[in-house]
Amino acid sequence: MRSDRVKKGIERAPHRSLMYATGVSKKSMERPFIGIVSSFTDLIPGHTGMRDLERFIEKGVHSGGGQSFIFSVPGVCDGISMGHVGMHYSLPTRELIADMIESVTMAHALDGLVLLTNCDKITPGMLLAAGRLNVPCIVVTAGPMMTGNYKNIRRDFITDTFEAMGQCQAGLITRDELDRLEMSACPGQGSCQGLFTANTMACVSEALGMSLPYCATALAGFAEKRRIAQESGEVICRLVREDIKPRDIMTAQAFDNAIAIDMALGGSTNTALHIPAIAHECGIRIPMERFDEISRQVPNISSLKPAGIYYMEDFHFAGGIPAAMQQLGANIHDCLTLSGLTTAQIAAQAINYNQEVIRTMDNPVKKEGGIAVLKGNLAPGGSVIKQTAVSDAMRHFSGTARVFNSEEMAMEAIMGKQIKAGDVVVIRYEGPRGGPGMREMLAPTAAIMGMGLGEKVCLITDGRFSGGTRGPCIGHISPEAAAGGPIAAVQEGDTIIIDLDSRSLHLDITDEEIARRMERVVHPEPKIKTGWLARYARQVTSADTGAVME
C-alpha cells in the first residue's frame, strides 16, 4: 500500500506514534488509509449538509476495511460571490483545491480518496486532483436542492432572484414581491435546483464513471444520498485493493460520454472549461471543437432549467443519468465505471419513468445538443454558447456593439436602461488573465432577461457565464482581450454578426482594420496587482485551453 511508506519499518516509529496520537489503533494500522476530502462549509447551501454525509462515508470506509481520515478544502459559492470582487476568486479556487488535495495526499501517503463535493469549482478541482494524482478515488456529490415554493408555484434560485431583480428594476414586480421570492427560492441544503454548473458537473462526474449511479441527482438531505455516501465509502476500499485508478476510468471515450450527457441535457457552458482541464491532468487533449462535434451528433433530450421547464428533482425521479444514457444508446461508449458495472450495464438496468422529462432520440427537445462553438474574426480560438437556451428568432442576429471593459460598467448601463433592442453588449477584459479569474456574467444576463430584452439583445464576453444563464449569451471568447485577442479591437457602434447555424461570430470590419486597431490598443491596468490572483493572471491560459495553469 502507498501508506506503507509512513507506517512500516523501524524507521517509521515516530510516524506511527503521531498517528496513534490521532486515535488510530494498532490493528487499524494494517488497513488502507482513506482520505475523505470534505468541502463542508457553513457558507454554501450545497455544502451545509456534508457533516452528515461525512459520517456515512466513514461508516462505509470502516465496513469496507479501511481507516478513514477527514481533511478539508475550501469552497466559494458563485451566487454569493457574484457581481463583486469575490467572483475574481471563484475559478482560481479550482486550482487551489487540486493543489491542496495533491499536497495532503502526497504528504500523508494516502491509499485512496473519497471526494465529497457539490458546487461549481469544487467538483472540477477535485477531479483535477484525481487525474493528477492517479490514486484510487471516488466522487460523492452532496445533491441538488429541492425547489422552493411561493404562491403554490415551484421556485428556483436563478429565475426567482437574479431574473426577478431585473423584473423589479423594470417595474414588472414590486419590491415586496421580490423580498418574498428571495425568501422562497432556496428552501435549504443542496446545489441550486436547475442544471446549472454544480449539477452539470455532478452529472459529468457520474457520466465519467467517477461516482456511483444516481449520485449526481439524488437529492440533498434524502436518505438515498446517505446510502450512496456509505456505499461509496465501501467501494473506495475495493478500488484500493484492486488498484483501480482514475485514469483507468477517465479515458478519452469516458470524456466523450461526459460531453454527450452534457449536450443531451443542455448543461452549463462551464464544462467547456472544466472537462478539457480535467482531461489535461489525465494526459488527454480535448479541444473546444470536440464539444461542437458531439453536440451536432447528440440531440437535447431533456428540457431542464434554466433553458427548459424541469428541475433536477424531476430528472432524478424520471431515471437520472442511467436513463439518459439508455436513451442515447450508441452515442454512449461502453466504459468501465467505479461501480463495477460498465456504462452499457448501467444503461441496460435503467428505467425511464417519464418520457416527457427524459425524451427518446426520435422525440428530442432540440435536434442538437446544448453547446455550440462559434469561431470567426472576433473569436479565432473559439467561443461557446448554450444554444438550447436561445430562441429560434435569435439564432441569427446582427447588432450594434456597446463596449464595456468590465462587468460593473456593463451592469451600470443595463440597470440604467441604456441598453436597447438591437444592441450587442460586449464585456471584455474579464477572461482568465484579464479578469483575473474569468468572472461569471450572470447578473448582466439575468438583468437583460428580467427586463424583457432576452430576444432583442445579445451579450458577448471573454469572461464566462453561470450555468443559470439563458438567452443569446456568448462566452469564452479566445484569445481574450488581455492576451491580445481581437475582442480588444471592438469599438462602440461596430456591427457584430452572430450566426449559430454556421457557427460564426463576426466583427463586420476588414482584417486589415482589425490589425490597425490592434496596433493602437491600450490595455487597461490590471484590476488586481497583488496576492494570489496576480500570480494566477501571470500563469493562466485562455479559455480555449480550459484555462489551465502554465
Side-chain angles (χ1 to χ4, degrees):
M1 290 186 289
R2 288 167 51 86
S3 57
D4 286 349
R5 64 177 181 244
V6 297
K7 64 186 185 184
K8 296 285 187 180
I10 295 174
E11 68 278 11
R12 295 297 182 246
H15 305 63
R16 290 191 294 272
S17 182
L18 289 169
M19 285 185 278
Y20 290 141
T22 70
V24 175
S25 69
K26 193 162 187 176
K27 182 179 179 181
S28 294
M29 202 71 78
E30 300 300 319
R31 296 173 174 231
F33 282 8
I34 306 298
I36 300 173
V37 188
S38 176
S39 51
F40 165 79
T41 173
D42 288 327
L43 288 167
I44 307 175
H47 295 242
T48 56
M50 286 184 176
R51 284 289 181 248
D52 183 58
L53 295 179
E54 290 168 4
R55 290 179 54 233
F56 280 86
I57 294 169
E58 283 184 307
K59 289 180 182 181
V61 171
H62 182 79
S63 298
Q67 173 65 40
S68 64
F69 302 88
I70 296 175
F71 67 95
S72 300
V73 295
V76 165
C77 177
D78 281 27
I80 295 172
S81 64
M82 191 79 63
H84 60 92
V85 69
M87 181 47 73
H88 289 290
Y89 288 87
S90 175
L91 181 60
T93 62
R94 186 185 75 176
E95 316 307 318
L96 293 176
I97 288 164
D99 291 349
M100 289 177 183
I101 295 170
E102 176 190 356
S103 299
V104 174
T105 302
M106 296 300 291
H108 292 264
L110 299 174
D111 296 301
L113 300 173
V114 181
L115 305 170
L116 178 56
T117 177
N118 214 24
C119 288
D120 294 26
K121 310 309 165 301
I122 303 157
T123 301
M126 290 195 177
L127 285 168
L128 286 176
R132 182 187 304 171
L133 290 164
N134 203 33
V135 302
C137 294
I138 188 167
V139 174
V140 179
T141 46
M145 184 189 296
M146 284 290 290
T147 50
N149 197 293
Y150 173 57
K151 292 185 176 180
N152 208 30
I153 298 171
R154 291 195 295 174
R155 305 292 181 171
D156 74 272
F157 170 60
I158 302 297
T159 306
D160 297 297
T161 61
F162 274 96
E163 292 188 14
M165 169 186 68
Q167 293 169 351
C168 184
Q169 182 71 15
L172 302 175
I173 61 174
T174 66
R175 179 58 190 268
D176 179 67
E177 189 154 24
L178 178 62
D179 289 345
R180 293 176 185 276
L181 285 167
E182 68 187 55
M183 288 293 293
S184 306
C186 298
Q189 66 172 278
S191 49
C192 301
Q193 304 100 325
L195 194 64
F196 314 139
T197 303
N199 290 324
T200 302
M201 286 307 304
C203 292
V204 163
S205 300
E206 185 177 328
L208 273 171
M210 288 296 292
S211 56
L212 295 180
Y214 305 101
C215 182
T217 55
L219 294 162
F222 278 44
E224 182 180 12
K225 183 61 74 176
R226 287 177 160 185
R227 292 192 290 270
I228 289 171
Q230 181 162 340
E231 186 180 353
S232 296
E234 295 171 2
V235 167
I236 189 60
C237 297
R238 172 179 62 79
L239 297 175
V240 170
R241 288 193 300 271
E242 298 176 4
D243 197 30
I244 296 174
K245 298 186 286 293
R247 294 186 196 177
D248 300 324
I249 304 298
M250 293 194 290
T251 62
Q253 287 192 329
F255 281 110
D256 274 357
N257 286 349
I259 297 171
I261 284 292
D262 184 18
M263 298 305 103
L265 302 182
S268 166
T269 53
N270 282 311
T271 56
L273 283 175
H274 301 320
I275 290 176
I278 297 161
H280 175 77
E281 294 288 357
C282 297
I284 298 168
R285 181 178 178 273
I286 298 180
M288 190 183 285
E289 291 79 8
R290 188 64 182 144
F291 286 80
D292 202 66
E293 291 167 2
I294 294 176
S295 186
R296 290 181 184 273
Q297 298 166 4
V298 176
N300 173 215
I301 61 169
S302 192
S303 178
L304 295 171
K305 291 276 188 175
I309 58 175
Y310 297 112
Y311 297 93
M312 291 304 295
E313 62 204 62
D314 303 315
F315 179 60
H316 178 65
F317 296 134
I321 297 299
M325 290 196 300
Q326 183 185 78
Q327 296 304 327
L328 292 181
N331 289 291
I332 296 295
H333 301 292
D334 192 17
C335 295
L336 179 68
T337 77
L338 296 181
S339 69
L341 301 174
T342 68
T343 49
Q345 291 170 325
I346 291 170
Q349 295 176 9
I351 300 174
N352 185 349
Y353 293 102
N354 189 331
Q355 291 193 0
E356 280 302 306
V357 176
I358 304 174
R359 296 196 186 186
T360 58
M361 291 283 283
D362 57 5
N363 182 35
V365 179
K366 299 281 180 70
K367 66 179 182 179
E368 292 186 349
I371 290 175
V373 175
L374 312 185
K375 286 191 169 185
N377 66 356
L378 196 48
S383 61
V384 297
I385 184 170
K386 186 187 285 191
Q387 63 171 341
T388 47
V390 179
S391 69
D392 289 342
M394 293 297 287
R395 290 184 67 86
H396 309 272
F397 186 82
S398 177
T400 303
R402 301 296 312 280
V403 184
F404 306 96
N405 284 350
S406 71
E407 177 190 4
E408 288 83 359
M409 294 168 65
M411 194 63 182
E412 184 178 349
I414 294 165
M415 297 302 282
K417 301 182 181 178
Q418 297 171 29
I419 303 302
K420 309 297 182 187
D423 286 345
V424 178
V425 177
V426 179
I427 306 178
R428 61 192 180 192
Y429 296 101
E430 290 289 3
R433 182 186 302 178
M438 203 179 183
R439 292 191 289 176
E440 289 184 346
M441 302 289 126
L442 177 58
T445 60
I448 287 170
M449 295 299 296
M451 296 172 82
L453 295 171
E455 295 200 6
K456 301 170 185 176
V457 169
C458 285
L459 190 150
I460 70 173
T461 181
D462 54 8
R464 61 193 176 90
F465 296 115
S466 162
T469 293
R470 61 191 180 103
C473 305
I474 301 167
H476 303 203
I477 289 177
S478 301
E480 61 175 294
I487 189 173
V490 181
Q491 295 180 358
E492 192 84 6
D494 283 346
T495 297
I496 294 174
I497 303 168
I498 299 156
D499 190 334
L500 267 61
D501 292 337
S502 67
R503 302 296 202 255
S504 68
L505 176 60
H506 187 73
L507 179 61
D508 195 22
I509 61 175
T510 66
D511 291 344
E512 291 76 15
E513 176 60 17
I514 290 177
R516 281 193 293 271
R517 289 185 185 182
M518 290 302 296
E519 290 175 358
R520 300 193 298 268
V521 165
V522 177
H523 298 297
E525 283 288 306
K527 295 170 186 155
I528 296 176
K529 300 179 183 180
T530 60
W532 148 239
L533 288 183
R535 298 199 307 274
Y536 177 84
R538 290 194 296 269
Q539 293 178 287
V540 73
T541 58
S542 283
D544 58 330
T545 67
V548 298
M549 303 283 281
E550 288 182 334

